[in-house]
Amino acid sequence: MARLVVLGGGVSGHTAATFAAKWLGSAHEVVVVTPNAKWNWIPSNIWVGVGEMSKEEVTFDLAPVYAKAGIIYHQAKALGIHPEGNETSDKPYVVVESTEAGKVGKIENIEYDYLINATGPKLNFAATPGLGDANGLGEFTVSVCTADHAVHASHELQKCIEKMRKGERQKFLVGTGHGMCTCQGAAFEYIFNIEHELNKAGVRNMADLKWISNESFLGDFGVGGLHMNTMGFAVSSKIFAESLYTERNIDWVIGAHVNKVEAGKAHYELLDGTMGEESFDFAMLIPPFAGVGLKAISKTGEDITTTVFAPNGFMKVDANYNAGSYENWKASDWPKTYQNPTYKNMFACGIAFAPPHPISKPMSSPNGTPITPTPPRTGMPSGIMGKVVAQSVCDRILHGADAPLHEASMAHMGAACVASAGKGLFTGTAAAMTIYPVVPDFEKYPGTGRDLDYTFGEIGLAGHWIKHILHHLFIWKAKLKPGWTLIPE
Amino acid sequence: MEKKPEHNIKAYGNNFTTMTPGPFAVKMRTCVIWQFLRFLAINIKMIVVVRKSH
Ligand SMILES: Cc1cc2nc3c(=O)[nH]c(=O)nc-3n(C[C@H](O)[C@H](O)[C@H](O)COP(=O)(O)OP(=O)(O)OC[C@H]3O[C@@H](n4cnc5c(N)ncnc54)[C@H](O)[C@@H]3O)c2cc1C
């Protein structure tokens, strides 16, 4: 009997574990180690953050789902990986610390034959003074990165709405809280959802909204922007983004590294080296992401974390980490199998793998401050990677350690994204986009790097309906309800 | 006077060079019949990309 241990029960890990359990059956073990008792459909946290959904609508208990799937579930967080075992045994294992009520802090070793690291991001609020610290979100801003954060954000938003009703003007600042952030899409959704809610509440005329981000142009989204085939033109996402911000009367500051947050004030440095500050009554600034801080230890007890993980804490996989400067970047730098180059029975998928480099062109201010979006790994690619890695592991367990690995490079994969711009059955809108491939391939698609036949976008009510249907479909799939395997990642 | 998207443009400001939708384009965004047709079209386009990516 072989044992697969999956670290992280989010989008990527949950996909990997549930498919692996289905394919392996009861002859082998699938173990999930994840610190939360509940699964969270993170994209809908945006609607929790404006009071349009409750926490209960975007989360569900993991234990019954894993029991149904025959998955062994440890509510715990992984601390370290011992890929060579220890001095008394060659069997690799992970060290985990329980987060389950009544067992909090209990340390356990879990042996594995194969390991999938899908631990997602550490929300690195501590990277920007005032944004938060090692314990999480600070007191001056809100976040929508977790369901609990989003509930808090919604309460703060309601307080602002009450003040506006009483005649007090409010300023909203939304965007990225550091020069090296990703996930601009989530902040984009949040600012437009706030705008929509303020309209609904009849207080839009009392609000000033401002976007602040590390993108070098509006609509970069960490993927170097995208050109879309529209009315016979290849149109940049910059044009669409600027148009939407203008239409909804949202001002913007871009190329900004937020370097300090205080009560009601964010300080920033711009790509041209100038410093500025922006006041706010309400701010949601996405933190930069880092790896969750797993350690790797050799058989002799030596710290080999730098062998297994990149300096940002994400796990090294089959990517080209020596591509050098932007001019040398190629689509082929991006990993295909997500296998760790040193320990072949370890894989990393979703946000947990170390990308070879950003997708957007790296930039820095004359003061040397890097101000570049880091590459997003959104839901669809994260799900696909999880499934592909599970396929590889299952093949190796079922057909031998030489079974070929499955591939899913972000340079050969598209993504469908639906960015909400306001919720409402007849008043909602969302930008529905597809991008192919996610990582531009300028050799194959000269000029834009993307295939314009498969890269498009438009905003409207239809996009909102799709977003709402996807909310229910993905929760259905994650709960392993009938037909779950038919719903694509 | 009804406020149109172009009224938000500030001369020589950040958004001076952008395009803004006219009232018809804005109306169509939430026109249920048109959006139902777009719903079908977008779903087909997305399914094609999803299939190409798996
Ligand atoms: C507000 C918001 C809105 C978004 N909206 C969209 C959207 O509309 N569309 C889209 O495609 N993407 C969206 N995304 C991105 C999407 O959520 C991510 O792409 C996706 O969650 C990545 O999946 P993952 O499995 O890598 O990470 P996660 O889903 O974050 O899962 C990581 C898991 O690992 C667990 N973990 C952490 N530390 C440890 C540890 N030490 N040991 C074990 N487990 C650990 C975590 O608790 C979590 O369960 C959004 C993100 C945010 C923050």
Side-chain angles (χ1 to χ4, degrees):
Chain A
M1 179 184 280
R3 181 187 286 162
L4 163 65
V5 173
V6 179
L7 305 180
V11 170
S12 208
H14 190 72
T15 307
T18 49
F19 274 104
K22 176 180 148 53
W23 292 326
L24 292 174
S26 53
H28 303 281
E29 275 181 6
V30 176
V31 177
V32 172
V33 175
T34 195
N36 301 330
K38 288 183 185 286
W39 194 83
N40 176 204
W41 176 238
I42 297 172
S44 295
N45 288 355
I46 300 296
W47 290 335
V48 177
V50 292
E52 285 286 345
M53 270 193 179
S54 66
K55 181 183 166 185
E56 290 65 38
E57 285 172 279
V58 300
T59 56
F60 63 81
D61 285 329
L62 275 173
V65 175
Y66 286 154
K68 180 165 79 176
I71 292 171
I72 300 163
Y73 167 44
H74 288 260
Q75 194 193 321
K77 65 175 183 211
L79 302 176
I81 307 174
H82 294 247
E84 303 164 359
N86 56 25
E87 279 171 345
T88 56
S89 163
D90 289 339
K91 191 85 182 164
Y93 65 97
V94 283
V95 180
V96 310
E97 182 183 284
S98 179
T99 54
E100 194 180 335
K103 287 166 66 180
V104 175
K106 190 172 168 249
I107 303 281
E108 205 180 327
N109 294 348
I110 304 175
E111 292 184 345
Y112 64 83
D113 296 290
Y114 288 91
L115 183 76
I116 296 178
N117 172 17
T119 43
K122 174 174 107 179
L123 303 172
N124 195 9
F125 291 105
T128 303
L131 194 61
D133 58 23
N135 299 319
L137 179 65
E139 57 187 305
F140 308 129
T141 60
V142 302
S143 151
V144 286
C145 291
T146 70
D148 285 325
H149 285 169
V151 170
H152 166 247
S154 163
H155 289 151
E156 294 301 309
L157 178 63
Q158 289 313 316
K159 286 185 201 164
C160 290
I161 291 176
E162 282 315 310
K163 285 183 188 165
M164 287 186 278
R165 287 200 171 115
K166 290 185 181 135
E168 202 180 320
R169 211 170 171 81
Q170 296 286 286
K171 163 109 177 260
F172 295 81
L173 184 68
V174 176
T176 55
H178 189 274
M180 299 292 285
C181 283
T182 180
C183 223
Q184 290 79 10
F188 169 98
E189 290 189 285
Y190 196 52
I191 198 165
F192 285 104
N193 270 270
I194 290 178
E195 203 270 343
H196 182 77
E197 292 303 316
L198 298 182
N199 268 313
K200 267 171 54 181
V203 292
R204 178 65 181 90
N205 60 343
M206 294 300 290
D208 299 306
L209 282 87
K210 197 158 205 170
W211 170 259
I212 185 163
S213 95
N214 56 348
E215 300 158 289
S216 67
F217 60 89
L218 213 56
D220 176 287
F221 293 125
V223 291
L226 57 147
H227 282 77
M228 291 174 261
N229 194 351
T230 305
M231 289 190 288
F233 290 80
V235 186
S236 164
S237 51
K238 175 180 190 280
I239 306 279
F240 284 111
E242 289 185 350
S243 172
L244 188 62
Y245 280 71
T246 303
E247 179 192 337
R248 307 276 284 261
N249 202 13
I250 298 173
D251 198 2
W252 64 82
V253 180
I254 45 167
H257 161 61
V258 173
N259 51 23
K260 190 174 163 197
V261 180
E262 299 172 327
K265 202 182 279 178
H267 299 262
Y268 60 82
E269 176 181 348
L270 293 181
L271 270 170
D272 66 8
T274 55
M275 306 290 173
E277 56 183 51
E278 202 62 57
S279 64
F280 61 80
D281 298 293
F282 176 102
M284 198 294 289
L285 300 173
I286 298 269
F289 291 174
V292 299
L294 298 177
K295 293 264 171 234
I297 311 292
S298 77
K299 194 171 176 59
T300 55
E302 189 195 338
D303 190 326
I304 51 165
T305 305
T306 52
T307 308
V308 175
F309 294 95
N312 55 13
F314 296 120
M315 188 181 263
K316 291 182 192 167
V317 291
D318 60 322
N320 174 15
Y321 295 109
N322 300 312
S325 60
Y326 176 75
E327 290 67 33
N328 301 322
W329 292 0
K330 288 198 164 54
S332 55
D333 298 338
W334 285 77
K336 296 180 182 71
T337 65
Y338 305 94
Q339 185 183 43
N340 180 262
T342 314
Y343 299 100
K344 304 289 181 192
N345 60 346
M346 289 197 325
F347 296 79
C349 54
I351 293 175
F353 84 83
H357 44 65
I359 299 175
S360 305
K361 186 174 180 174
M363 302 203 182
S364 52
S365 75
N367 313 316
T369 308
I371 307 178
T372 301
T374 45
R377 277 138 291 162
T378 54
M380 183 175 150
S382 297
I384 293 177
M385 282 175 224
K387 189 172 178 182
V388 158
V389 164
Q391 271 175 318
S392 295
V393 170
C394 291
D395 279 0
R396 294 213 156 176
I397 291 175
L398 297 172
H399 308 300
D402 294 331
L405 298 173
H406 293 259
E407 297 186 351
S409 163
M410 280 171 64
H412 302 140
M413 183 197 298
C417 307
V418 190
S420 173
K423 189 168 179 293
L425 187 56
F426 297 113
T427 57
T429 51
M433 285 175 278
T434 63
I435 174 170
Y436 188 91
V438 177
V439 174
D441 185 339
F442 291 102
E443 285 172 358
K444 198 164 173 191
Y445 308 108
T448 67
R450 307 248 166 61
D451 188 336
L452 288 195
D453 289 340
Y454 302 102
T455 302
F456 86 99
E458 69 177 70
I459 184 162
L461 182 58
H464 171 69
W465 290 337
I466 294 172
K467 181 101 185 161
H468 208 146
I469 291 169
L470 289 179
H471 164 91
H472 292 291
L473 269 184
F474 284 124
I475 290 180
W476 182 276
K477 180 181 167 82
K479 285 183 173 173
L480 311 184
K481 294 213 179 169
W484 69 274
T485 55
L486 302 174
I487 300 168
E489 286 65 48
Chain B
M1 186 173 65
E2 193 203 338
K3 193 168 182 199
K4 293 182 180 158
E6 74 259 26
H7 296 166
N8 294 329
I9 293 177
K10 292 175 188 72
Y12 294 93
N14 257 344
N15 62 11
F16 192 39
T17 53
T18 195
M19 62 178 194
T20 51
F24 181 71
V26 172
K27 189 94 199 135
M28 293 308 271
R29 294 217 188 118
T30 49
C31 165
V32 174
I33 297 166
W34 174 242
Q35 287 300 318
F36 179 70
L37 297 173
R38 296 314 302 155
F39 176 79
L40 300 177
I42 296 168
N43 268 296
I44 292 167
K45 288 182 179 194
M46 286 189 162
I47 288 167
V48 170
V49 172
V50 167
R51 286 184 70 119
K52 222 173 139 56
S53 305
H54 275 71

